[in-house]
Amino acid sequence: MTYVYSNKFKKYLLALAFLCPIIFLPLNILKAHEIVIDIFTFEHPWVNVLSGSSNAAMYVKIINKGDLADHIIGASSPAADRLELHSHFIDDSGVSRMRHVMAIDIPPKGFVDLAPGGGNHIMLIGLKGPFFDGELIPISLTLKNSGILTIDAVVESVGLKPKLSEESDVSDANKSHHKH
């Protein structure tokens, strides 16, 4: 059996073959996106949503290229009822716990790594809908000196516990809250 394809169909197939990588490439780029706003670089902001929970955690490495420190003093998102700044600490019995903190410091010419497994993160409390891998959630960070900066965090690891990070930077102001 011999198939005869029209020129119009061949052009369609050629266009489809060309466009598929362009259409699906952004899905891979989202896994490692970077956002630059003024003197700050936000490396791979992402949200971990545990299945069955109405809460999630946002993680990101924030690089400050400026000469002055700044401090995250608040956060908000249309995706949740409220956002809180949290830090991990070890209680007297050796159990890792979370605690609300008033600020997360971003040192000058340095970085803070909000990462799973210890240190700082931002909790999204009272999620306003189901979220799926690859979806973007807008997060507005309120910085003491720089005002409100809005970034998009990609949803990853829906239903999975976050991997523990071997490197997390906990600012000096928050280290005093830890009991080791």
Side-chain angles (χ1 to χ4, degrees), residues 60-118:
V60 61
K61 180 176 183 178
I62 305 170
I63 301 168
N64 179 356
K65 296 178 184 163
D67 294 326
L68 301 173
D70 212 333
H71 317 275
I72 304 170
I73 58 172
S76 64
S77 174
D81 291 332
R82 72 182 193 278
L83 276 65
E84 292 182 358
L85 311 177
H86 281 194
S87 185
H88 280 98
F89 72 100
I90 306 297
D91 70 11
D92 293 332
S93 62
V95 177
S96 178
R97 305 239 184 235
M98 284 189 297
R99 141 174 340 163
H100 179 263
V101 294
M102 299 307 291
I104 297 174
D105 297 334
I106 310 169
K109 303 261 188 232
F111 69 92
V112 62
D113 196 4
L114 283 60

Side-chain angles (χ1 to χ4, degrees), residues 1 3 9 12 42-43 70 75 79 84-86 104 118-120 130 132 146 159-160 162:
M1 182 182 258
Y3 293 99
F9 184 72
Y12 172 78
F42 299 88
E43 288 185 354
D70 212 333
E84 292 182 358
L85 311 177
H86 281 194
I104 297 174
N120 300 313
F132 304 97
S146 300
L160 302 176

